[in-house]
């Protein structure tokens, strides 16, 4: 049986996003806000929230207890300035927080004192998807 380390991460995230699409509701504001200070426009992909949620679930699986602050750094980027040097900035926290809430409602992630960790249901969800991808 394959696990998430044996399959391509981008394929796993895309497949997980498709499966999460029917289970979670996308917040209405996601279509209108930027995902971070380094971006110039809101995401153009209509499935952005589902992809980000699937990616967050994978990050929680890999990196153990993580919180919003750590994932803000992970999804952050470089802000371009016209006159002076570029600087690293964090991603927006509300999209990450809402993704965590959606995953907690599905019982894929639970909150602990040190951060959020993956539950056996979430681990099983990702392992089944990676097993399905490895058979293709």
């Amino acid at each position: 049986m394959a696990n998430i380390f044996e399959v391509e991460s981008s394929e796993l995230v895309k497949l997980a996003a498709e499966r999460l699409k029917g289970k979670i509701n996308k917040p209405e504001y996601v279509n209108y806000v930027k995902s971070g200070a380094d971006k110039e426009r809101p995401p153009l992909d209509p499935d952005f929230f589902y992809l980000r949620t699937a990616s967050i679930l994978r990050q929680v699986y890999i990196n153990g207890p993580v919180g919003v602050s750590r994932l803000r750094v992970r999804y952050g980027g470089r802000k371009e300035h016209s006159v002076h040097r570029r600087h690293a900035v964090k991603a927006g926290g509300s999209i990450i927080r809402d993704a965590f809430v959606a995953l907690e409602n599905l019982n894929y992630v639970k909150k602990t004192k040190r951060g959020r960790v993956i539950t056996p249901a979430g681990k099983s969800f990702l392992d089944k998807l990676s097993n399905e991808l490895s058979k293709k």
Side-chain angles (χ1 to χ4, degrees):
M1 187 160 160
N3 61 14
I4 68 166
F5 301 106
E6 298 171 359
V7 295
E8 189 68 34
S9 61
S10 60
E11 293 177 14
L12 178 66
V13 169
K14 286 178 187 174
L15 184 61
E18 287 176 18
R19 301 288 166 86
L20 287 173
K21 206 175 201 177
K23 296 180 180 180
I24 61 176
N25 295 324
K26 179 172 79 169
E28 200 56 41
Y29 72 90
V30 172
N31 297 329
Y32 308 109
V33 297
K34 301 188 305 180
S35 61
D38 59 318
K39 307 294 183 198
E40 290 185 9
R41 295 172 172 245
L44 296 175
D45 187 8
D47 295 336
F48 166 77
F49 182 73
Y50 303 110
L51 289 168
R52 179 61 57 97
T53 305
S55 177
I56 287 171
L57 182 61
R58 183 179 170 275
Q59 289 298 317
V60 172
Y61 185 105
I62 293 171
N63 295 322
V66 294
V68 174
S69 179
R70 212 159 123 197
L71 289 177
R72 284 184 69 197
V73 172
R74 166 75 175 82
Y75 292 111
R78 247 173 24 174
K79 183 163 178 80
E80 300 288 336
H81 297 282
S82 59
V83 177
H84 54 285
R85 293 188 314 209
R86 305 172 190 94
H87 296 287
V89 293
K90 295 180 181 179
S94 62
I95 294 174
I96 297 171
R97 203 170 301 111
D98 287 342
F100 270 142
V101 169
L103 291 171
E104 286 172 0
N105 289 339
L106 288 176
N107 199 24
Y108 288 166
V109 170
K110 69 178 178 181
K111 193 186 284 191
T112 63
K113 236 179 175 176
R114 297 188 59 214
R116 287 173 171 97
V117 294
I118 196 156
T119 61
K123 197 170 187 178
S124 171
F125 174 71
L126 285 179
D127 285 340
K128 284 178 185 175
L129 293 179
S130 57
N131 194 23
E132 186 179 312
L133 283 173
S134 68
K135 288 183 180 178
K136 286 185 179 178

